[in-house]
């Protein structure tokens, strides 16, 4: 069947399309969409997010997939827009829990997915990874035809798509910026968006990340020029930290280092992984092999550039260990230059500032935005968002990929174009958005939210556990154990509550013992004895200390 025939067949008929965001709405991270028409579902992406200070002990956060598990037999295929963690990082936890269906993605995207699945012990034979390119079209089930087009971003092989459905065309931009001078020389395919707009776009789903920023986003070419000038002015060793997934940025830095006669040393597991995969697939090239810190040998300081992880202040990352003097093989010194080619992700400002201050204390020269224009966002600003809206001219609009303030600002931008959308929705994760030729509204909800990955557990830690952990971190822990036989006796153990205080300990024991003895005389049930002891000790501690530790009462008969 030709592309035209496939599209025509997919866009004829009655019914309605359901657009269901399972992640990425009202937040930046763990992006995931489901489209449903009749008894068929198509899924897009499966990302992760990183925990904040209110989620102690959590390693990663992935979307809840209850809805997909409940309707597993309807899933016909999966589409991946690009290889960033917030779009593919959750797949090792998600794919094994759902049926094996075709998963479509570009070369680098699938290369990173294969590495990630292998790392987590998911066999590739248990998945069905199908490589596609910009300009290609695939059919998923009977009702979905997906046409991929190129959009520039901060990683190669980034794709938007046009979803041809029985009710009309849906454009999903994916993450994007309209970089006129991209590193790979392949700009966004705006002609395809305009062509779709001429034919009629029922719904546009577009990246809202930078909807508050005026103008256009800085080109990666300008960042490369500024890094070139900065690295060229350095005399000692140079340490550059950026996102490991910024393959274009890594390639530019390597070329700059080669231009200035510096050998490149890669430090950090994710940095090594991304560079190896990108090189193997032809997205990076080096005039000389990359080195490890063990291979520096007799090179002069002026002949070395380190590419390292840690631009977000992650504990135990390479830059974190260097700044705190904990790296096993490398020690920073005066005369070294450290370049942070990134901005802190919201929530990471404090650890990044800590690293910067530690670097200053060592005596290194430190360069970072906004003092130096050595980073550019991978997301379009207001003028770029307007360009896409003007070209697509959608009947309906769904701002996506951003917090509520970004979505709302994007919605306001959409009303300024000559032909504004008839209706714009600011949706939430779990909303079921019903779409027909004349209808665009939320008609229900499905389970959505966060699954916490903690060690080997996925979903066995919930918000109630988070509250307990936060409580313990703020007020400490007190365990009160009462032995009932042969003679009632009380022991206490505390952690993070107060310094050792024999008088307070004795008072707590006395209060607990009185509650137990009163209950025994009244022949109360064990559960009631425990509750009486808990209440009496809780009231006493609040009155005596003004504190509210996590209190665990235990009874041993």
């Amino acid at each position: 069947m030709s592309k035209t025939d496939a599209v025509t067949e997919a866009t004829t008929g009655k019914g309605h399309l359901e657009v269901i965001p399972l992640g990425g709405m009202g937040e930046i991270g763990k992006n995931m969409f489901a489209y449903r028409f009749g008894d068929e579902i198509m899924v897009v992406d499966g990302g992760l997010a990183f925990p904040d200070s209110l989620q102690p002990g959590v390693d990663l956060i992935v979307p809840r997939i209850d809805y997909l598990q409940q309707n597993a037999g309807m899933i016909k295929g999966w589409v991946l827009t690009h290889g960033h963690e917030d779009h593919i990082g959750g797949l090792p936890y998600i794919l094994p829990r759902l049926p094996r269906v075709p998963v479509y993605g570009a070369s680098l995207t699938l290369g990173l997915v294969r590495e990630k699945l292998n790392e987590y012990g998911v066999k590739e034979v248990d998945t069905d990874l199908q490589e596609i390119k910009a300009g290609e079209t695939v059919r998923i089930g009977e009702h979905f035809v997906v046409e991929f087009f190129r959009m520039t971003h901060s990683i190669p092989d980034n794709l938007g798509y046009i979803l041809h459905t029985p009710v009309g065309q849906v454009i999903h931009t994916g993450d994007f910026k309209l970089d006129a001078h991209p590193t790979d020389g392949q700009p966004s395919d705006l002609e395809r968006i305009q062509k779709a707009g001429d034919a009629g776009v029922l719904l546009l789903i577009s990246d809202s990340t930078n909807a508050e920023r005026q103008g256009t986003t800085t080109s990666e070419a300008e960042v490369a020029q500024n890094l070139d000038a900065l690295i060229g002015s350095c005399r000692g060793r140079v340490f550059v930290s950026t996102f490991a997934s910024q393959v274009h940025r890594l390639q530019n830095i390597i070329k700059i280092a080669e231009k200035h006669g510096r050998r490149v040393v890669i430090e950090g597991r994710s940095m090594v992984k991304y560079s190896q995969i990108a090189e193997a697939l032809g997205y990076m090239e080096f005039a000389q092999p990359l080195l490890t810190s063990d291979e520096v040998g007799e090179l002069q300081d002026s002949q070395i550039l380190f590419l390292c992880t840690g631009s977000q202040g992650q504990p135990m990352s390479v830059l974190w260990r260097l700044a705190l003097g904990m790296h096993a093989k490398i020690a920073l010194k005066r005369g070294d230059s450290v370049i942070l080619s990134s901005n802190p992700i919201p929530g990471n400002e404090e650890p990044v500032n800590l690293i910067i201050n530690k670097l200053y204390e060592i005596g290194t020269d430190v360069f970072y935005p906004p003092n130096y224009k050595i980073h550019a966002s991978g997301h379009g600003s207001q003028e770029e968002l307007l360009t896409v809206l003007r070209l697509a001219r959608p009947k309906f609009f769904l701002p996506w990929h951003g917090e509520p303030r970004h979505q709302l600002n994007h919605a306001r931008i959409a009303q300024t174009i000559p032909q504004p959308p008839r209706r714009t929705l600011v949706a939430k994760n779990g909303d079921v958005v019903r779409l027909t030729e004349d209808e665009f509204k939320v008609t229900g909800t499905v389970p959505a939210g966060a699954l916490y990955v903690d060690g080997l557990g996925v979903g066995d830690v919930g918000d109630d556990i988070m509250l307990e952990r936060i409580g313990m971190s703020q007020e400490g822990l007190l365990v009160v154990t009462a032995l009932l036989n042969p003679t009632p006796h009380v022991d206490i153990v505390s952690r993070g509550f107060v310094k050792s205080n024999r008088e307070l300990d004795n008072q707590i024991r006395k209060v607990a013992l009185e509650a137990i003895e009163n209950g025994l005389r009244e022949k109360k049930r064990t559960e009631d004895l425990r509750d009486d002891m808990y209440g009496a000790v809780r009231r006493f501690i609040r009155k005596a200390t003004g504190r509210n530790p996590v209190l665990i009462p235990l009874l041993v008969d």
Side-chain angles (χ1 to χ4, degrees):
M1 181 181 293
S2 70
K3 170 181 169 180
T4 302
D5 292 338
V7 170
T8 301
E9 184 178 323
T11 55
T12 57
K14 301 292 184 180
H16 68 274
L17 177 70
E18 291 180 348
V19 184
I20 308 171
L22 298 174
M25 282 290 187
E27 63 181 352
I28 296 176
K30 65 181 179 66
N31 293 283
M32 194 174 190
F33 260 103
Y35 296 95
R36 177 173 176 175
F37 192 95
D39 59 355
E40 293 185 342
I41 292 175
M42 185 188 96
V43 188
V44 178
D45 289 338
L48 58 75
F50 294 101
D52 58 29
S53 59
L54 296 179
Q55 294 154 335
V58 173
D59 300 318
L60 304 169
I61 305 169
V62 298
R64 285 182 60 183
I65 58 170
D66 307 53
Y67 173 75
L68 296 180
Q69 290 176 309
Q70 292 163 7
N71 299 280
M74 297 184 184
I75 301 173
K76 303 303 179 184
W78 213 293
V79 167
L80 305 179
T81 58
H82 65 286
H84 278 155
E85 293 280 12
D86 61 328
H87 290 260
I88 66 168
L91 294 179
Y93 306 98
I94 296 170
L95 290 180
R97 291 169 169 79
L98 294 170
R100 184 179 184 272
V101 297
V103 179
Y104 298 96
S107 176
L108 179 60
T109 304
L110 294 188
L112 295 170
V113 169
R114 288 187 180 97
E115 176 67 23
K116 187 166 290 295
L117 294 177
N118 180 64
E119 179 183 349
Y120 286 87
V122 181
K123 297 179 181 179
E124 187 172 342
V125 295
D126 294 330
T127 63
D128 182 10
L129 304 182
Q130 303 276 342
E131 184 176 325
I132 49 87
K133 297 179 181 178
E136 293 186 350
T137 298
V138 298
R139 171 178 289 284
I140 295 179
E142 293 297 320
H143 298 116
F144 302 111
V145 173
V146 189
E147 182 184 352
F148 298 93
F149 61 90
R150 184 176 56 253
M151 293 294 276
T152 52
H153 188 38
S154 53
I155 190 171
D157 271 354
N158 183 67
L159 299 172
Y161 59 87
I162 301 171
L163 180 62
H164 303 275
T165 77
V167 298
Q169 292 189 112
V170 176
I171 291 184
H172 188 305
T173 63
D175 293 14
F176 79 94
K177 63 188 283 188
L178 302 183
D179 194 333
H181 305 286
T183 299
D184 59 7
Q186 300 183 32
S188 298
D189 190 354
L190 298 181
E191 289 184 8
R192 187 63 193 93
I193 297 177
Q194 182 174 17
K195 183 179 177 182
D198 292 341
V201 173
L202 183 61
L203 173 64
L204 172 67
I205 304 171
S206 186
D207 180 355
S208 305
T209 311
N210 281 343
E212 294 179 302
R213 295 187 185 180
Q214 296 181 350
T216 60
T217 299
T218 302
S219 169
E220 195 64 30
E222 183 178 342
V223 173
Q225 291 174 358
N226 295 335
L227 285 169
D228 187 2
L230 181 55
I231 291 170
S233 69
C234 297
R235 295 292 171 260
R237 296 183 300 178
V238 175
F239 295 79
V240 183
S241 184
T242 189
F243 294 103
S245 61
Q246 282 262 29
V247 174
H248 290 319
R249 182 84 49 84
L250 299 183
Q251 176 68 90
N252 286 336
I253 293 169
I254 289 169
K255 288 183 176 179
I256 292 166
E258 292 170 350
K259 172 184 174 182
H260 294 287
R262 292 180 181 269
R263 295 294 302 275
V264 178
V265 181
I266 295 282
E267 281 286 317
R269 187 169 62 90
S270 61
M271 191 78 76
V272 171
K273 178 186 73 174
Y274 270 85
S275 60
Q276 287 176 340
I277 294 171
E279 181 190 18
L281 296 174
Y283 294 91
M284 290 177 67
E285 57 184 16
F286 323 123
Q288 294 177 299
L290 302 180
L291 303 178
T292 67
S293 56
D294 293 325
E295 298 170 326
V296 172
E298 300 300 321
L299 290 174
Q300 300 295 315
D301 287 357
S302 61
Q303 297 175 308
I304 306 170
L305 182 144
F306 291 85
L307 267 173
C308 57
T309 56
S311 65
Q312 297 303 302
Q314 307 96 313
M316 299 311 296
S317 65
V318 174
L319 189 58
W320 187 88
R321 285 181 283 135
L322 287 171
L324 273 68
M326 296 173 58
H327 197 285
K329 298 178 181 179
I330 309 168
L332 292 174
K333 60 186 179 182
R334 290 185 179 277
D336 289 338
S337 296
V338 180
I339 300 171
L340 279 71
S341 183
S342 63
N343 281 330
I345 295 171
N348 288 351
E349 294 88 353
E350 186 175 341
V352 171
N353 288 336
L354 171 64
I355 281 183
I356 290 173
N357 283 316
K358 290 294 183 182
L359 293 171
Y360 271 110
E361 289 176 3
I362 292 171
T364 60
D365 296 320
V366 193
F367 307 93
Y368 51 92
N371 300 341
Y372 296 84
K373 295 182 179 180
I374 51 177
H375 176 65
S377 172
H379 302 270
S381 299
Q382 290 180 358
E383 287 301 319
E384 293 151 278
L385 304 184
L386 275 168
T387 296
V388 170
L389 281 160
R390 291 187 185 116
L391 292 173
R393 305 185 301 282
K395 179 182 285 188
F396 303 121
F397 179 44
L398 190 65
W400 153 83
H401 202 290
E403 297 168 354
R405 60 188 181 136
H406 306 122
Q407 294 172 280
L408 286 164
N409 274 286
H410 203 175
R412 294 186 184 112
I413 291 169
Q415 294 306 306
T416 68
I417 65 174
Q419 185 180 324
R422 181 186 300 178
R423 187 175 187 199
T424 296
L425 279 179
V426 176
K428 301 180 179 67
N429 291 331
D431 281 348
V432 177
V433 180
R434 180 187 175 100
L435 179 66
T436 69
E437 292 183 5
D438 300 304
E439 189 177 34
F440 182 53
K441 63 182 181 181
V442 177
T443 58
T445 60
V446 302
L451 279 181
Y452 299 127
V453 179
D454 187 351
L456 299 177
V458 181
D460 57 352
V461 172
D463 290 335
D464 53 342
I465 302 296
M466 288 298 104
L467 290 174
E468 290 179 359
R469 290 181 179 181
I470 292 169
M472 286 188 282
S473 68
Q474 294 176 341
E475 302 281 358
L477 169 71
L478 181 66
V479 180
V480 181
T481 304
L483 265 65
L484 303 183
N485 290 304
T487 302
H489 175 72
V490 174
D491 284 323
I492 63 172
V493 175
S494 69
R495 294 291 184 269
F497 173 39
V498 293
K499 290 183 177 180
S500 178
N501 185 327
R502 181 175 297 178
E503 181 179 351
L504 179 62
D505 290 351
N506 287 336
Q507 290 175 324
I508 293 172
R509 289 191 185 94
K510 181 180 178 182
V511 169
L513 188 58
E514 286 178 353
I516 291 296
E517 289 176 337
N518 289 338
L520 289 173
R521 281 194 294 270
E522 297 174 15
K523 296 183 180 181
K524 289 186 175 182
R525 298 180 307 161
T526 302
E527 293 82 358
D528 294 332
L529 289 175
R530 184 190 60 218
D531 292 344
D532 287 352
M533 182 176 71
Y534 175 90
V537 172
R538 169 68 68 207
R539 290 189 293 273
F540 171 76
I541 289 174
R542 284 177 177 169
K543 183 177 180 181
T545 69
R547 299 177 184 178
N548 189 31
V550 174
L551 177 59
I552 300 177
L554 299 175
L555 265 64
V556 180
D557 192 349

